[in-house]
Amino acid sequence: PNTLYDLQTLTEDVRLTKLRLGKPLAHMDKGSFLYPLSRSIGTTNAVMFGTILLTYRDPDLTFQRDRELPALVHHDHDAPAWWHYHRKTRLYSDGFAPKSHRALLQFLLIPKNGPDKFREWEDDYRAVSAWIESLTPPKYPGQIDAPLANRGRFVFNEHCAKCHGTYGAQPTWPEKIVSIDDVGTDRARLDSLAGDGRKRWGASWFAYFGKRPTIDEPGGYVAPPLDGIWASAPYLHNGAVPTLWHLLHPDERPVVWQRSEDGYDHERIGLEVTTYDTMPAEIVDPRQQRRYFNTRLFGKSATGHDYPAALAEPDRRAVLEYLKTL
């Protein structure tokens, strides 16, 4: 995913330009008046976009305007790497939805697109899904200490593989949902679809009207595959952790961080960042605030996944080196 994408600022700029030119506003221009699109660059409030769009549809995707929205839990999400798609049988951070090309169509649910349109486009999205299935992770472009990485492989397989799988000639991945009480990461994403959110999806055309069952109460998050993890910073489902070093050192995760535009940290493996103990007081413009990741905001916590704290420092260093090889 494009981790420099600033959807909120882009939409505000486009809307302002249209108003100055006397041009009509599109659905995104209007929707962003009412609902946040993102609060940090590289993230989106996509889960709530989907909730809003599906609320106004019957299971067969017929549009129904006269409905009330459910309570919306606005929060930002960091999109996963496309090259993990081929490993999955279920989608999203909580794994509640069965994988299908139909899921790729959900953000086309604007009022003018009726059920016939989705059936018309379905073959195109089968092809799109097949292309995504073909993607593979890039290889780490820097230096790798092979003996250290090999030691890290043994540590990883002993402590991490039961959730994140194994890698090499015959990789495995358990697609395991880890309970929220166990993993301890930010729960806003998990709670955001409580109630009818997942059930509405499961009864719809997207899930073949219930023939491909959803998990209504997943209770946690799927431990993701780690292929190409060096290239998929920031980390955790909300993008709260800028580097793998910070992921392996839970007590050292920054409260606020700002990335450079295109730098890469080959020492800590991830985004090149400047860290802060609190949000700089002089940054008051919302457009500028979006260039800082503030883990004290709702849905942006960097807590949880503290399992690496049980490892000795040399073992953590070895695991970090091994992760470059995936």
Side-chain angles (χ1 to χ4, degrees), residues 28-208:
M28 192 73 109
D29 306 319
K30 298 174 184 176
S32 60
F33 273 125
L34 302 173
Y35 312 112
L37 304 183
S38 63
R39 287 177 296 173
S40 300
I41 61 172
T43 63
T44 70
N45 186 25
V47 177
M48 290 299 98
F49 301 170
T51 297
I52 293 166
L53 293 170
L54 195 56
T55 293
Y56 295 102
R57 299 287 176 150
D58 288 339
D60 69 353
L61 305 188
T62 300
F63 181 69
Q64 302 290 352
R65 186 177 299 275
D66 298 327
R67 289 182 180 170
E68 291 187 7
L69 279 173
L72 298 173
V73 183
H74 295 300
H75 63 287
D76 292 339
H77 196 276
D78 175 53
W82 282 123
W83 58 74
H84 291 160
Y85 187 78
H86 75 281
R87 280 188 175 247
K88 299 179 179 181
T89 64
R90 313 194 67 82
L91 297 178
Y92 311 123
S93 297
D94 56 9
F96 91 91
K99 183 171 75 172
S100 166
H101 64 279
R102 290 186 176 185
L104 304 175
L105 284 149
Q106 63 178 303
F107 293 104
L108 301 179
L109 283 170
I110 58 176
K112 70 177 183 179
N113 295 333
D116 291 343
K117 274 290 185 185
F118 287 87
R119 292 170 180 79
E120 176 186 335
W121 291 330
E122 193 168 7
D123 278 346
D124 288 339
Y125 277 79
R126 284 191 179 95
V128 171
S129 180
W131 176 76
I132 297 172
E133 288 270 5
S134 74
L135 299 179
T136 56
K139 291 184 178 180
Y140 180 68
Q143 298 295 315
I144 296 176
D145 182 331
L148 184 61
N150 190 52
R151 176 184 164 193
R153 177 170 62 89
F154 285 101
V155 178
F156 179 92
N157 288 343
E158 182 177 354
H159 294 277
C160 313
K162 64 181 180 182
C163 291
H164 289 292
T166 59
Y167 301 83
Q170 295 181 317
T172 64
W173 180 56
E175 204 164 9
K176 178 181 179 180
I177 295 178
V178 183
S179 77
I180 189 64
D181 293 334
D182 189 345
V183 71
T185 50
D186 194 292
R187 62 178 301 139
R189 167 65 181 82
L190 181 65
D191 295 339
S192 65
L193 291 178
D196 292 336
R198 297 183 184 90
K199 293 179 181 178
R200 185 180 298 111
W201 172 279
S204 75
W205 178 84
F206 292 111
Y208 294 79

Side-chain angles (χ1 to χ4, degrees), residues 114-323:
D116 291 343
K117 274 290 185 185
F118 287 87
R119 292 170 180 79
E120 176 186 335
W121 291 330
E122 193 168 7
D123 278 346
D124 288 339
Y125 277 79
R126 284 191 179 95
V128 171
S129 180
W131 176 76
I132 297 172
E133 288 270 5
S134 74
L135 299 179
T136 56
K139 291 184 178 180
Y140 180 68
Q143 298 295 315
I144 296 176
D145 182 331
L148 184 61
N150 190 52
R151 176 184 164 193
R153 177 170 62 89
F154 285 101
V155 178
F156 179 92
N157 288 343
E158 182 177 354
H159 294 277
C160 313
K162 64 181 180 182
C163 291
H164 289 292
T166 59
Y167 301 83
Q170 295 181 317
T172 64
W173 180 56
E175 204 164 9
K176 178 181 179 180
I177 295 178
V178 183
S179 77
I180 189 64
D181 293 334
D182 189 345
V183 71
T185 50
D186 194 292
R187 62 178 301 139
R189 167 65 181 82
L190 181 65
D191 295 339
S192 65
L193 291 178
D196 292 336
R198 297 183 184 90
K199 293 179 181 178
R200 185 180 298 111
W201 172 279
S204 75
W205 178 84
F206 292 111
Y208 294 79
F209 305 104
K211 292 180 181 178
R212 298 189 180 183
T214 55
I215 301 175
D216 294 339
E217 299 293 339
Y221 297 119
V222 177
L226 303 183
D227 314 70
I229 190 172
W230 70 269
S232 60
Y235 301 103
L236 300 184
H237 71 274
N238 58 0
V241 179
T243 74
L244 287 175
W245 185 90
H246 288 107
L247 192 67
L248 293 169
H249 294 80
D251 293 338
E252 301 292 333
R253 295 173 190 168
V255 176
V256 178
W257 51 269
Q258 182 186 29
R259 63 179 293 176
S260 64
E261 183 168 349
D262 58 3
Y264 187 86
D265 189 335
H266 283 276
E267 182 65 27
R268 294 186 170 184
I269 313 302
L271 303 180
E272 181 182 68
V273 297
T274 303
T275 63
Y276 305 86
D277 293 331
T278 188
M279 187 71 182
E282 67 274 14
I283 307 299
V284 295
D285 180 358
R287 298 166 65 92
Q288 292 301 315
Q289 288 180 345
R290 291 175 202 134
R291 297 196 166 273
Y292 294 77
F293 197 105
N294 185 352
T295 65
R296 288 178 175 162
L297 296 178
F298 177 77
K300 290 186 167 294
S301 171
T303 58
H305 194 276
D306 357 357
Y307 314 117
L311 298 177
E313 182 58 30
D315 287 341
R316 283 190 259 191
R317 181 67 189 89
V319 168
L320 182 63
E321 196 71 11
Y322 172 64
L323 293 175

